[in-house]
Amino acid sequence: MLEPIRRPIRRAIAPVRALFVSDASAGVLLILVAAAAMVVANSPLAADYHGLFYNYLWPKEVFYLNTLHLWINDGLMVLFFFVVGLEVKRELLAGQLSSADKRTLPIMAAVAGMAVPALIYVTIAGSDPDLIRGWAIPAATDIAFAMGVLGLLGSRVPASLRLFLLTVAIVDDIGAVLVIAAFYTEKLDMMWLVISIGVFGAMVGMNRFGVKSFLPFILAAVLLWLAMLFSGVHATIAGVLAALTIPMRKDDGHSMLEKAEHGLAPWSAYFVVPIFGFANAGVHVLDMEMSEIFSPLPVAIAAGLFLGKQLGIFTVIVAAVKLGIARKPENANWMEIWGVTILTGIGFTMSLFISELAFKGNQLVIDEAKIGILLGSIISAIVGYVALRITTRHPEENAVYERAADATP
């Protein structure tokens, strides 16, 4: 008797249900966490929020990581970078970056998507020598955040564009890691750097000699992290390097790399990144004047993310397709491609991370950078969503929603 009433209700909530049981749920969680951080940072709990993450746990002479914020950024985030490294290695060996025809367009797009935002940033804020170090902040795309927005669209976006966005973001992560290692490394301690190289070499040897147990790799990875921490190279690079040594060889149908990625990816997406987001996204803006919010630094970052990303990536895609260098993603029109390139302007996790490195010790400038990141990311998310929403609805969308509605009890 109630079926005529229940079925429209199930159909109405199917897109939401499909969203939260899909990979996009990690992005949705990140959006909610960022919003929560901003609310708390501008509430009566602001002092407690700041104290939680920045109050000293012990003197710096005892151990470098003496605040919860440092433990999150330099310690916990190693797991995030480890998962990034696993994804990169898998893609290079057996995924979308494993052959020239698959990787040409994503690599070209990602390079342009890093270069143009950096150029826009330097054009706007480069005249101030204190701000020039932030040139890489708008160069990164947040995979989870961007995929979360795509999740809101159901199957409206073709699968080929989802895969393209994911691949570009992975190449983007590779570039961001290289930028952190090359441009945000402080004074080097050669002894600890040599130890780091030695530990990394030992891990490569364990791979070559067929070590099948996780424990030796875990112990070596911790040692590599400590050595990197004391060497001056940012400690999170240890996560990527350690991941590259994990064997990809199949054993009983599964590789150690695949097991590690499947086991750790949910922890990274639903635990590490949300904690990082909550610890870093909160900015107290109530006492800020408009001149501070729209000063050169926030404007440069927001413009780099929103304008630079889409301009660089979309231009390269059009040029590559017109010149016959690469093929346009299947089942996608130019409007949909443009909409997805706008979403690449969502730079959250890696952008926040780089801003902490670029302006280390200058909290006022870091807060201004965070405002630019949030503005650019929010504008990119909204405009990208609208641009994709007004495209032609793909036939398979109805089938997906029908299945989700039928599966809803």
Side-chain angles (χ1 to χ4, degrees):
M1 179 182 295
L2 296 177
E3 185 60 25
I5 299 175
R6 293 173 59 188
R7 187 169 182 80
I9 295 176
R10 290 201 304 266
R11 191 184 302 276
I13 67 173
V16 178
R17 182 180 183 276
L19 171 63
F20 281 95
V21 299
S22 70
D23 293 336
S25 57
V28 175
L29 175 61
L30 191 55
I31 295 170
L32 296 176
V33 165
M38 287 298 294
V39 170
V40 173
N42 292 277
S43 73
L45 297 174
D48 295 323
Y49 171 84
H50 188 273
L52 173 65
F53 295 113
Y54 291 98
N55 283 350
Y56 294 127
L57 303 174
W58 48 72
K60 200 162 191 174
E61 293 73 22
V62 175
F63 188 57
Y64 166 70
L65 304 183
N66 65 341
T67 67
L68 183 58
H69 185 263
L70 284 174
W71 271 105
I72 292 170
N73 285 26
D74 291 16
L76 192 61
M77 281 294 285
V78 173
L79 181 60
F80 166 78
F81 280 89
F82 184 77
V83 173
V84 168
L86 294 175
E87 292 174 347
V88 167
K89 182 171 182 177
R90 176 175 51 78
E91 289 293 334
L92 287 171
L93 295 182
Q96 291 300 307
L97 301 176
S98 60
S99 61
D101 61 323
K102 291 180 179 179
R103 60 176 173 251
T104 298
L105 187 58
I107 290 178
M108 292 174 60
V111 171
M114 296 186 74
V116 177
L119 181 61
I120 290 177
Y121 176 94
V122 172
T123 301
I124 296 174
S127 58
D128 187 339
D130 294 331
L131 301 182
I132 194 67
R133 279 178 56 82
W135 63 269
I137 295 174
T141 295
D142 191 284
I143 298 177
F145 214 140
M147 295 303 290
V149 175
L150 282 185
L152 295 171
L153 293 157
S155 62
R156 184 177 296 271
V157 179
S160 62
L161 279 183
R162 292 172 181 269
L163 184 60
F164 176 77
L165 175 61
L166 187 62
T167 309
V168 169
I170 289 174
V171 178
D172 209 312
D173 281 343
I174 297 174
V177 169
L178 294 175
V179 166
I180 291 171
F183 297 98
Y184 295 109
T185 293
E186 299 177 351
K187 185 174 65 175
L188 291 175
D189 186 314
M190 294 307 299
M191 182 188 76
W192 284 106
L193 184 60
V194 169
I195 293 174
S196 302
I197 295 172
V199 175
F200 177 68
M203 295 184 73
V204 172
M206 288 192 293
N207 183 327
R208 290 295 181 89
F209 287 105
V211 174
K212 296 181 179 180
S213 172
F214 277 111
L215 184 58
F217 285 99
I218 294 172
L219 295 176
V222 173
L223 182 57
L224 180 61
W225 170 69
L226 284 171
M228 283 282 188
L229 183 66
F230 293 123
S231 73
V233 177
H234 200 273
T236 50
I237 301 301
V240 177
L241 293 178
L244 296 179
T245 68
I246 304 300
M248 184 71 177
R249 294 181 298 274
K250 295 287 184 178
D251 182 22
D252 298 329
H254 299 283
S255 70
M256 185 183 292
L257 185 146
E258 290 173 337
K259 291 177 182 177
E261 185 179 358
H262 292 161
L264 294 176
W267 285 96
S268 175
Y270 296 103
F271 180 72
V272 174
V273 174
I275 288 178
F276 170 84
F278 186 73
N280 288 274
V283 184
H284 188 74
V285 298
L286 294 181
D287 297 331
M288 284 189 173
E289 297 181 359
M290 295 301 291
S291 59
E292 293 178 288
I293 296 176
F294 293 100
S295 63
L297 179 58
V299 171
I301 294 173
L305 286 170
F306 176 62
L307 297 177
K309 277 290 187 179
Q310 60 173 296
L311 179 61
I313 294 176
F314 189 71
T315 300
V316 161
I317 295 174
V318 172
V321 171
K322 297 299 183 183
L323 294 174
I325 299 174
R327 290 180 296 177
K328 187 172 71 170
E330 296 179 2
N331 196 31
N333 58 49
W334 286 113
M335 182 67 174
E336 291 167 335
I337 293 173
W338 173 64
V340 167
T341 65
I342 298 174
L343 293 184
T344 62
I346 302 174
F348 187 76
T349 305
M350 200 68 82
S351 293
L352 288 174
F353 194 84
I354 293 175
S355 69
E356 293 280 347
L357 299 178
F359 306 120
K360 192 173 183 178
N362 193 335
Q363 193 58 47
L364 178 60
V365 176
I366 291 174
D367 285 346
E368 289 186 359
K370 290 178 181 179
I371 291 172
I373 294 168
L374 292 172
L375 284 175
S377 298
I378 291 171
I379 295 171
S380 296
I382 294 174
V383 176
Y385 175 85
V386 172
L388 290 168
R389 186 70 192 176
I390 63 177
T391 59
T392 303
R393 183 171 172 140
H394 283 252
E396 61 269 23
E397 185 180 7
N398 286 327
V400 171
Y401 285 170
E402 286 284 350
R403 289 194 297 270
D406 292 339
T408 303

